[in-house]
Amino acid sequence: MGWFGKSDYQPRGKHCYVTGGTQGLGKALAESLVKQGAHVTAVARDVEKGKRVEAELRALAQPHQTINFISSDLTDAESSAASLQKSSEHFDGQAPDYYFLCAGFSRPKYMVDSSLEDFKSGFDGTYWVSAWTAQAAVKLMVKQRKIGKIVFVSSFLGYTTFAGYTNYSPGKYALRGLADSLRSEMLLHDISVHIFMPCGIQGPGLEAENKDKPAVTHKIEEGDTPIPPEESAKALETGLKKGYYQITDNIVADFARLRSNGGVPSNNFFADTFYLLVSSVGIPIWRMTADAAVRSGRKAVRAEYEAKGVYDNPAK
Amino acid sequence: MGWFGKSDYQPRGKHCYVTGGTQGLGKALAESLVKQGAHVTAVARDVEKGKRVEAELRALAQPHQTINFISSDLTDAESSAASLQKSSEHFDGQAPDYYFLCAGFSRPKYMVDSSLEDFKSGFDGTYWVSAWTAQAAVKLMVKQRKIGKIVFVSSFLGYTTFAGYTNYSPGKYALRGLADSLRSEMLLHDISVHIFMPCGIQGPGLEAENKDKPAVTHKIEEGDTPIPPEESAKALETGLKKGYYQITDNIVADFARLRSNGGVPSNNFFADTFYLLVSSVGIPIWRMTADAAVRSGRKAVRAEYEAKGVYDNPAK
């Protein structure tokens, strides 16, 4: 009953599909998964780096583990679907079990200074780089009646944000919207959805981000301490073992998690305090009711898919 | 000091740019603005409907008011910028003062049943349909040192979401991310940013949405009562008059507003209660500190823009 809240996270023997698997969080996660006995497909754009990481991961693996690198532009829909298809070829066409969608980048810039391309590519590199893979994965998994997990990687800046992040936070908020909707929808099938909201992670990603960061953005972040990717990956796996839906790597993100209206200016102090009190009890109850409504729709949806020939294997 | 929190909302004599201004909320808002003595440019795709609404709005206006319709595909960056440019031609090239970004649509569908195109166009029709105009507006306004307001229209489903909305809620959450970041960033200039989070609005938009809505989605929403567009527009303007940043048209959305983590499953009940208590005090304080950091950067940014020749008029 992993999809119900309790955790069944166990990478041993599972095929794990890790996007952005050649650096930072993705690489640290791929290494940890290999060490735990998982088969790993790492996906990223840079072929040279990919081949090097593939060799490093293979060196950590036992002979029976399948470790591969696939080069792909994940901001493209067809390329994302093709990579997933390709990764399944080593497993008799079976879809991977776990998806860790770590790919993405951040290039903070004021909107006034951003070209159309800056604004668009920043978004594509945070949202579509994961959303296309998620769609391809869901379609393939449902077709194969596969039980599995999809793990999105958003950011602390997907809870709250400030000057400099107009080409980044929209995509990270959007991933939260996608994960929130998909978590509910996948109660219809046996796919559990999680979302990781890390704070700053050390490495080449952060170095590139800091290069042209606006002064005001720097100033707001001056007290932040980025952590090593291995530590962040560990926090993510700990959250998965606990069966958490939203996973953080830092108590600051936990503070933002519950009150994630973006920390924006409030309206009326007294009315807002009342709303918060009521909603803190009412929203979890509403959510459980909505989840129950989805679960009660499982039978009908599955019968419809059966009739339409969506599945490529018989019901168990 | 309108951008500081107190409101200076006053449509009389202002040029208001209303996207999606030919039906539903956008049209109701355009009518209200015209009645208050504003100049209005309504932007939408359908030329025939646009010309009809243009005539209706002109019938409500005094002779000195400038009322125009522009046909445009707002999901396209260049087309969005061109429309804005065109709207300024009636005002000696001056950018509009107020932007009401009401364009958008909703076509709920399960992700498994969605084509790449369904998934992509749903997103473009919620996010880019407003984001491109916002970028064009910000660039033009800053260049002209224009004082003004940008009002995004997200949705209750930009706070929380469920099965059926994977092609809609990501865009509505993304608008919240964009508005949250832009609100902070525009403290550098004299542009105030607001976001409207309406519940269901009666009209052709909702009818189209309900046509193919999945059964589970329908069931979760069965208690909802959509309101007339005029009522929703009134709630939006009331919020603007009060100087609210996030504006709702329904107490249910107010309950979601403060606790807008998507109403997702919580982690540890006791720890989460503690986090919520701390964050309810700590996050507003953090946000005020971050706002102060942005404000303290105004001088430097403006001097830099001055030096780079960004402005096309001298500082007052």
Side-chain angles (χ1 to χ4, degrees):
Chain A
M1 298 292 277
W3 56 269
F4 206 86
K6 293 276 187 306
S7 175
D8 52 6
Y9 179 68
Q10 177 49 268
R12 179 179 305 279
K14 299 289 197 309
H15 177 197
C16 298
Y17 190 82
V18 185
T19 71
T22 61
Q23 76 173 40
L25 173 66
K27 188 182 175 205
L29 204 50
E31 288 170 352
S32 167
L33 295 165
V34 169
K35 285 180 197 161
Q36 291 172 79
H39 309 290
V40 169
T41 301
V43 189
R45 206 180 306 210
D46 186 333
V47 177
E48 203 184 317
K49 199 198 281 176
K51 286 289 159 195
R52 201 167 60 234
V53 171
E54 186 183 61
E56 285 174 37
L57 293 175
R58 281 183 182 156
L60 295 172
Q62 302 295 318
H64 69 274
Q65 287 173 256
T66 305
I67 311 293
N68 286 298
F69 163 74
I70 296 174
S71 169
S72 177
D73 173 7
L74 296 170
T75 59
D76 179 76
E78 268 105 36
S79 172
S80 298
S83 307
L84 184 60
Q85 201 64 48
K86 196 170 167 196
S87 81
S88 73
E89 285 166 13
H90 299 276
F91 299 86
D92 296 325
Q94 284 296 300
D97 303 276
Y98 294 172
Y99 301 78
F100 296 90
L101 308 178
C102 307
F105 65 83
S106 166
R107 298 282 176 283
K109 202 167 196 176
Y110 290 138
M111 192 188 256
V112 175
D113 301 331
S114 300
S115 65
L116 299 182
E117 185 50 31
D118 289 333
F119 193 34
K120 173 86 165 30
S121 69
F123 188 86
D124 291 350
T126 45
Y127 183 69
W128 290 113
V129 74
S130 295
W132 288 130
T133 298
Q135 192 194 21
V138 161
K139 285 182 166 241
L140 194 58
M141 290 172 93
V142 168
K143 191 176 159 187
Q144 299 180 344
R145 302 184 199 265
K146 187 110 190 163
I147 293 172
K149 291 184 190 303
I150 298 177
V151 183
F152 292 95
V153 177
S154 176
S155 161
F156 176 73
L157 293 168
Y159 280 139
T160 183
T161 184
F162 39 84
Y165 286 113
T166 55
N167 69 7
Y168 181 76
S169 282
K172 292 301 192 181
Y173 276 63
L175 284 179
R176 196 146 60 81
L178 178 59
D180 287 0
S181 180
L182 203 59
R183 183 201 66 77
S184 165
E185 201 165 300
M186 289 302 112
L187 296 173
L188 293 169
H189 310 288
D190 284 325
I191 299 168
S192 73
V193 174
H194 305 265
I195 186 161
F196 185 43
M197 312 292 292
C199 290
I201 300 171
Q202 293 164 9
L206 188 63
E207 284 158 30
E209 169 181 328
N210 281 335
K211 233 176 35 167
D212 297 311
K213 191 173 269 182
V216 159
T217 315
H218 257 307
K219 185 162 180 201
I220 295 175
E221 295 174 342
E222 68 190 355
D224 299 356
T225 319
I227 62 173
E230 295 72 23
E231 211 174 293
S232 188
K234 198 177 163 194
L236 170 52
E237 289 200 270
T238 302
L240 289 173
K241 277 175 205 149
K242 290 184 180 168
Y244 288 175
Y245 167 65
Q246 287 194 346
I247 300 168
T248 60
D249 64 358
N250 187 312
I251 195 170
V252 174
D254 266 318
F255 287 135
R257 179 167 53 84
L258 281 293
R259 185 64 197 280
S260 49
N261 62 342
V264 298
S266 62
N267 295 351
N268 178 298
F269 178 77
F270 298 103
D272 279 5
T273 304
F274 166 71
Y275 292 140
L276 183 60
L277 289 174
V278 174
S279 67
S280 294
V281 177
I283 288 187
I285 293 173
W286 168 81
R287 200 263 313 157
M288 286 186 260
T289 317
D291 279 2
V294 177
R295 286 198 185 93
S296 74
R298 280 171 72 103
K299 224 175 121 178
V301 168
R302 289 170 171 223
E304 188 197 320
Y305 284 5
E306 195 86 64
K308 282 201 295 186
V310 168
Y311 302 119
D312 70 355
N313 55 13
K316 272 167 221 161
Chain B
M1 297 294 278
W3 56 269
F4 207 87
K6 292 278 186 306
S7 174
D8 53 5
Y9 179 70
Q10 175 50 269
R12 177 178 307 278
K14 300 286 196 312
H15 177 197
C16 300
Y17 190 82
V18 185
T19 71
T22 61
Q23 74 172 43
L25 173 66
K27 188 182 175 205
L29 203 50
E31 287 169 351
S32 167
L33 295 165
V34 170
K35 285 182 198 160
Q36 291 172 79
H39 309 290
V40 169
T41 301
V43 189
R45 205 178 309 210
D46 186 333
V47 177
E48 202 184 318
K49 200 198 280 176
K51 285 290 157 195
R52 203 167 58 233
V53 170
E54 186 183 59
E56 285 174 36
L57 293 175
R58 281 183 181 157
L60 296 172
Q62 302 295 317
H64 69 276
Q65 288 174 256
T66 304
I67 312 292
N68 286 298
F69 163 74
I70 296 174
S71 169
S72 177
D73 172 6
L74 296 169
T75 60
D76 178 77
E78 268 105 36
S79 173
S80 298
S83 307
L84 185 59
Q85 201 64 49
K86 196 171 167 196
S87 81
S88 73
E89 285 167 12
H90 300 276
F91 299 86
D92 295 325
Q94 284 296 300
D97 303 275
Y98 294 173
Y99 301 77
F100 296 91
L101 308 179
C102 307
F105 64 84
S106 165
R107 298 282 178 284
K109 201 167 196 176
Y110 289 138
M111 192 188 257
V112 176
D113 301 332
S114 299
S115 65
L116 299 182
E117 186 49 30
D118 290 333
F119 193 34
K120 173 87 164 35
S121 69
F123 188 85
D124 291 350
T126 44
Y127 183 68
W128 290 113
V129 75
S130 295
W132 287 130
T133 299
Q135 193 194 21
V138 162
K139 286 183 167 239
L140 194 58
M141 289 172 93
V142 168
K143 191 176 158 186
Q144 300 181 342
R145 302 184 198 262
K146 188 110 191 166
I147 294 172
K149 292 183 188 301
I150 298 177
V151 183
F152 291 96
V153 177
S154 175
S155 161
F156 176 74
L157 293 169
Y159 281 139
T160 182
T161 184
F162 39 83
Y165 286 112
T166 55
N167 70 6
Y168 181 77
S169 281
K172 291 300 192 183
Y173 276 62
L175 284 179
R176 195 146 60 80
L178 179 59
D180 287 0
S181 179
L182 202 58
R183 181 200 67 78
S184 165
E185 201 165 301
M186 289 303 113
L187 296 175
L188 293 170
H189 310 288
D190 284 326
I191 299 168
S192 73
V193 174
H194 304 266
I195 187 163
F196 185 42
M197 312 291 291
C199 291
I201 301 171
Q202 294 165 10
L206 187 64
E207 282 159 31
E209 169 182 330
N210 280 335
K211 230 173 41 161
D212 298 310
K213 191 174 268 182
V216 159
T217 315
H218 256 308
K219 186 162 177 199
I220 295 174
E221 296 174 342
E222 66 190 355
D224 299 356
T225 318
I227 63 174
E230 294 71 24
E231 212 175 293
S232 187
K234 198 176 163 195
L236 170 53
E237 289 199 88
T238 301
L240 289 172
K241 277 174 206 149
K242 289 183 179 166
Y244 288 174
Y245 167 65
Q246 288 194 345
I247 301 167
T248 59
D249 65 357
N250 186 313
I251 195 168
V252 174
D254 267 317
F255 287 135
R257 180 167 52 83
L258 280 293
R259 185 65 196 278
S260 49
N261 62 343
V264 299
S266 62
N267 295 351
N268 178 297
F269 178 77
F270 298 102
D272 279 4
T273 304
F274 166 71
Y275 292 141
L276 183 61
L277 288 174
V278 174
S279 67
S280 293
V281 177
I283 288 187
I285 293 173
W286 169 81
R287 199 262 314 156
M288 284 186 262
T289 317
D291 279 3
V294 177
R295 286 198 186 93
S296 73
R298 279 171 72 103
K299 224 175 118 179
V301 168
R302 288 171 170 222
E304 188 198 320
Y305 285 5
E306 195 86 63
K308 283 200 295 187
V310 168
Y311 302 119
D312 70 354
N313 54 14
K316 273 167 219 159

